[in-house]
Structure formats: structure tokens, C-alpha cells
Amino acid sequence: TGDVLIGGSSVLGSPVGASTLEVNSALQGRFPLVFTEAGASGFNTAFHVPDPTADSFLSLPDQSGTVVTSGSLPLVMDKVEIVGETAIHGDVTFKGALTIGDALAPAPLLFRGALANAFPLAFTGGAQGGRDRLLLGVTDATGDRLLTLPDASGTVLTSGNVPDVLEGTTFVGDALFRGGAIFVQEDVVIGSRESHSNIDLNAPIGGCTPLKLEGRSADARTISISVEEPSGNHVVTLPDVSGTVITT
């Protein structure tokens, strides 16, 4: 019992067999533990303890593994795989590709913060992925904006695919167009032949043959209302009575 002071190098245990060292007191010194390999390279691994500002407790888990330090963290995180739920508190920066979830099974991803960058999200599509990507870009914001995704399945409309999507669009219920609407190449059918429908126009209808009336039949015969080249502004008033239009 009592204090023991050993000056110089000391060897505890056998160099060729497993030995046990039990320490029931504090290890003092800036480098209290130094490990050397079995070979003759002369390189050592030392435990360094900075000047503490308070009592701290370092716990080693009851599992086999490699100690992660600030020097080995990039290499350890290079191929890390997390199984189960993960909560990250604070800022996180990933440099390179990041895979979340299984490519063949849906997996939810919950964000509670803003996604920064001009292109915060990129999609490759397909189970195998590919070189072509679909990027979600954000222009320079002039204020806070809220983009709401509807609670329905469908395709996102952009300025690039609106003509293709609207080519075969069917509106069920009321439809209100604010601004100009141009329909080219194909006929526009409003309402149903089997029921009476109303169309309310609060703007001029352009074109030399703006209206085509087909009747109740589904044949190709129609009555078109044609407009000659006007020489001025004219007003055609329909009387407030039932009857038949008289033509030449």
C-alpha cells in the first residue's frame, strides 16, 4: 500500500500472452497511457488529456469496434450504414452521394428544417438509378413562400409540360380560367351531350370560326358560327324570346 513512483520504462505482463492490468485509481499526467505495436517500428499511440475545466466521464460501450476520433471520422463515415431510426440534432454536411432508405421499398424521410442550396433535391428515378437526374431548383427568393402539395396523386405541372398535360385534361366540376387561354390543333368540348351545361364568358371569343355547334348527335356534322373581318366594333343583340335564327 502507499504511493509507488517508477522512474523510466516499465513492463507489466507478458509480451507474448494475454495479461491483465487492474487500476483502481486515477491515471495522472498529460499522456497517462501510451500504446506501442508488437513490431519494431517505434510508433506509439498515446492518450492525451487536456487541462480539464470540470470532472468529465468517458464511457466505452459494451461492444467491439474502433474508437472514432476527429481524425478518423471522415474515413469511418465514408461507408457508414445506419439501421433503424436516426435523429440528427444540429448542422450536418454531407460531401458526396447520400443514400437514404431502400431502393426497392418506400421509406419515409422527415425534415424539420429548411433545405438550403439552389438545387436542394435531386432525383435519379428507377430502382437502379442512372446518370440523368431531375433537379428541384429554387430561384432567389424575395420573401417567404409556401408551396402546398395537394392530397391527391398526379403529375406536377411546370412551364415545360403544361401543354402536354392539358392536351387531354378533363375538368370535373366548375373551372375558372383567369387570364388568357389558347387551345390549338384540337377541339375543346365543354359540357356533356346528355345533360345541360352552362358556359359563362366575360371576354371576347377570338377566331374566324369561334363557335361550333354539334347538337345532340355524335356524328361529324356541325353548325359553325363564322365571323367576317370586321370593319369596326359591332354589337349583335339576341332578343329575350325563344325562336329560330333567320339566315340568308
Side-chain angles (χ1 to χ4, degrees):
T1 61
D3 297 336
V4 177
L5 176 63
I6 300 177
S9 301
S10 301
V11 177
L12 300 177
S14 173
V16 295
S19 302
T20 301
L21 174 63
E22 182 177 352
V23 180
N24 297 317
S25 62
L27 299 178
Q28 297 182 352
R30 298 183 60 188
F31 301 94
L33 292 177
V34 179
F35 301 91
T36 183
E37 63 174 348
S41 64
F43 296 121
N44 297 325
T45 298
F47 268 90
H48 170 57
V49 180
D51 294 333
T53 58
D55 291 338
S56 302
F57 182 75
L58 178 63
S59 176
L60 296 178
D62 186 18
Q63 292 179 341
S64 300
T66 301
V67 177
V68 180
T69 66
S70 58
S72 64
L73 182 60
L75 297 178
V76 174
M77 296 294 293
D78 185 33
K79 297 182 179 180
V80 67
E81 181 176 354
I82 302 175
V83 180
E85 297 182 357
T86 302
I88 301 177
H89 300 277
D91 297 334
V92 178
T93 301
F94 296 96
K95 296 182 178 179
L98 174 63
T99 301
I100 300 177
D102 190 352
L104 301 179
L109 179 61
L110 176 61
F111 289 101
R112 298 186 182 274
L115 298 177
N117 204 342
F119 300 95
L121 291 178
F123 304 90
T124 57
Q128 302 296 329
R131 301 179 61 181
D132 297 331
R133 297 181 299 170
L134 174 63
L135 301 178
L136 179 61
V138 180
T139 58
D140 294 335
T142 57
D144 293 336
R145 302 289 185 261
L146 177 63
L147 179 63
T148 302
L149 297 179
D151 186 16
S153 300
T155 301
V156 177
L157 300 182
T158 67
S159 58
N161 70 341
V162 163
D164 296 334
V165 174
L166 289 180
E167 182 178 356
T169 299
T170 300
F171 294 93
V172 179
D174 297 335
L176 176 62
F177 295 92
R178 298 184 182 272
I182 300 176
F183 300 92
V184 296
Q185 296 182 354
E186 298 293 340
D187 294 337
V188 179
V189 179
I190 301 177
S192 174
R193 294 188 180 95
E194 290 77 16
S195 61
H196 296 284
S197 302
N198 296 325
I199 177 172
D200 187 6
L201 298 178
N202 298 315
I205 302 177
C208 61
T209 309
L211 291 179
K212 183 181 297 184
L213 307 179
E214 188 178 77
R216 292 184 177 274
S217 62
D219 53 24
R221 294 174 294 180
T222 60
I223 297 177
S224 298
I225 298 180
S226 178
V227 180
E228 297 180 351
E229 186 66 28
S231 58
N233 293 327
H234 303 287
V235 177
V236 178
T237 302
L238 297 178
D240 189 16
V241 293
S242 300
T244 302
V245 175
I246 300 176
T247 67
T248 56

